[in-house]
Amino acid sequence: AQTVTQSQPEMSVQEAETVTLSCTYDTSESNYYLFWYKQPPSRQMILVIRQEAYKQQNATENRFSVNFQKAAKSFSLKISDSQLGDTAMYFCALTGTASKLTFGTGTRLQVTL
Amino acid sequence: DAGVIQSPRHEVTEMGQEVTLRCKPISGHNSLFWYRQTMMRGLELLIYFNNNVPIDDSGMPEDRFSAKMPNASFSTLKIQPSEPRDSAVYFCASSLKRLTSRAYNSPLHFGNGTRLTVT
């Protein structure tokens, strides 16, 4: 069984500041993928970033980067230079060879002026 | 690419009625997923298909729920009869699954969801 835990229900950050969202997971598979999805109020699920477990290098996508600690089963998301448009629910997710994606409960991020 | 297309965007129905949700995956994707999102339970996987074949339907809550994928470009999720507790946002997602020496799964691409309200 796969589990994903997001322990921060809500977070707030000021515009232009940096924020880190936490995620831990558990899986018995050796090949797996980790993702962060963003869900703005429009309810669309948008892929932010992904990480292959076999890659040691942390993934980055513009202002978004991850800190992947495989031994600790930790996968945090760092958002630099936060923008108002980053306000959304953020979901951490995990998939293995079975394809199905298991989601955490989400972190609601509010970016303020 | 138009992305994953779901219809309708909103559905309001009375308890006991049949509800059919529709999904068109991204062309070329061979895996399709139905998720349900509620405040209480978050995002739950209901069922997923690979090459049009249901692989795992363990998340389907009851016999009132059924899903079909008659071809690679279309899937339906049906609830019959519907109940107020079925009210939720239902997402369809698709991905490309390739089997290689290291299993490759493209990220899931989600549709915009169908908000179902059962009164």
Side-chain angles (χ1 to χ4, degrees):
Chain A
Q2 300 174 336
T3 61
V4 177
T5 303
Q6 293 180 251
S7 58
Q8 305 154 313
E10 294 184 359
M11 293 195 72
S12 180
V13 63
Q14 285 192 325
E15 200 177 19
E17 296 297 306
T18 296
V19 64
T20 298
L21 308 184
S22 301
C23 173
T24 58
Y25 63 93
D26 195 17
T27 179
S28 57
E29 298 200 42
S30 56
N31 290 330
Y32 56 91
Y33 301 79
L34 293 157
F35 306 89
W36 279 96
Y37 280 86
K38 167 185 176 181
Q39 188 178 38
S42 65
R43 84 166 181 245
Q44 187 181 5
M45 293 289 287
I46 302 167
L47 176 67
V48 175
I49 198 166
R50 71 171 173 174
Q51 174 82 40
E52 290 91 340
Y54 62 87
K55 289 187 177 179
Q56 294 187 344
Q57 186 172 7
N58 288 325
T60 62
E61 284 288 340
N62 301 314
R63 299 183 294 106
F64 299 88
S65 61
V66 299
N67 183 5
F68 176 44
Q69 301 290 325
K70 192 171 184 178
K73 294 185 176 177
S74 170
F75 183 62
S76 61
L77 174 70
K78 185 171 83 171
I79 306 174
S80 304
D81 186 25
S82 297
Q83 300 175 0
L84 295 178
D86 296 333
T87 293
M89 280 288 285
Y90 286 81
F91 292 96
C92 180
L94 165 70
T95 186
T97 53
S99 299
K100 58 184 181 180
L101 205 58
T102 300
F103 286 90
T105 51
T107 296
R108 185 175 303 278
L109 177 67
Q110 180 71 48
V111 180
T112 60
L113 292 170
Chain B
D1 193 336
V4 176
I5 299 172
Q6 288 187 249
S7 64
R9 184 143 172 85
H10 303 277
E11 176 80 33
V12 180
T13 190
E14 292 184 344
M15 183 174 64
Q17 296 298 305
E18 177 180 295
V19 175
T20 300
L21 311 181
R22 297 173 176 80
C23 176
K24 177 178 168 56
I26 291 173
S27 177
H29 281 187
N30 58 3
S31 294
L32 184 140
F33 305 78
W34 283 101
Y35 280 86
R36 178 172 68 176
Q37 186 178 31
T38 61
M39 288 292 291
M40 291 295 294
R41 302 172 72 94
L43 280 153
E44 303 173 277
L45 177 65
L46 300 177
I47 185 170
Y48 81 94
F49 297 83
N50 197 39
N51 294 322
N52 311 339
V53 175
I55 302 299
D56 184 351
D57 65 355
S58 59
M60 296 285 262
E62 303 170 31
D63 291 345
R64 299 183 296 106
F65 286 69
S66 62
K68 294 182 179 179
M69 191 164 186
N71 57 62
S73 59
F74 184 66
S75 177
T76 60
L77 177 68
K78 187 174 292 187
I79 308 172
Q80 165 62 23
S82 57
E83 296 182 4
R85 60 193 167 123
D86 302 331
S87 297
V89 177
Y90 291 81
F91 285 101
C92 175
S94 70
S95 72
L96 176 62
K97 180 180 173 71
R98 294 195 203 105
L99 291 177
T100 62
S101 58
R102 185 176 278 136
Y104 173 83
N105 298 313
S106 71
L108 263 63
H109 295 260
F110 284 79
N112 288 331
T114 295
R115 180 176 294 281
L116 173 64
T117 303
V118 183
T119 60

